[in-house]
Amino acid sequence: MKNNPVGWFEIYVQDMPRAKAFYEAVFQGALEPLGNPTPGEPLEMWSFPSARDGYGTPGALVKMAGIPSGGNSTLVYFVCDDCAVEAARAKAHGGSVFKDKMSIGEYGFIALVNDTEGNLIGLHSMR
């Protein structure tokens, strides 16, 4: 593989205004609306800020008929300056902390939180 193995991620939600408000509050940035690639189908997407030439993977919140939130087996990690800060914001904005900040040795620190839609997400920082 010449590139990072993940090229895009989607976090499925049931209540888009609530989920959008949660992620914007936790990560202190605005999500951008994405057009519906399948007109006529009920689909709503909001993209996380991204840079085409930067490190990491772009992604979006998605509300699609027939695809529930929560209960999936894929874990997305968001890059943070200090994952304890974002974990506290998650709790303050309707989420819950599943695993407080913990060391993963030379690879930094992680925390795990549940969002307002029942999805488990990871937070990663080097300090």
Side-chain angles (χ1 to χ4, degrees):
M1 254 185 253
K2 293 183 180 183
N3 296 313
N4 290 330
V6 177
W8 179 258
F9 70 86
E10 295 177 344
I11 299 173
Y12 286 87
V13 305
Q14 299 303 305
D15 184 329
M16 185 61 80
R18 177 179 66 195
K20 184 175 172 291
F22 174 83
Y23 282 95
E24 287 178 338
V26 170
F27 297 112
Q28 305 282 284
L31 277 67
E32 297 291 325
L34 292 177
N36 185 342
T38 55
E41 296 291 323
L43 177 68
E44 184 178 1
M45 298 176 76
W46 287 82
S47 171
F48 289 91
S50 62
R52 290 191 184 271
D53 58 348
Y55 175 78
T57 302
L61 297 179
V62 178
K63 182 176 180 183
M64 183 184 303
I67 301 181
S69 58
N72 56 9
S73 61
T74 301
L75 187 59
V76 175
Y77 278 87
F78 288 86
V79 176
C80 308
D81 286 330
D82 180 348
C83 61
V85 171
E86 283 78 4
R89 284 189 202 136
K91 186 174 181 180
H93 291 280
S96 62
V97 176
F98 180 78
K99 184 78 168 168
D100 286 317
K101 181 179 177 179
M102 62 180 255
S103 173
I104 54 171
E106 67 181 285
Y107 302 106
F109 300 87
I110 63 167
L112 301 175
V113 301
N114 289 294
D115 72 5
T116 57
E117 306 301 298
N119 296 304
L120 182 67
I121 61 169
L123 307 171
H124 176 263
S125 61
M126 289 307 293
R127 62 181 182 112

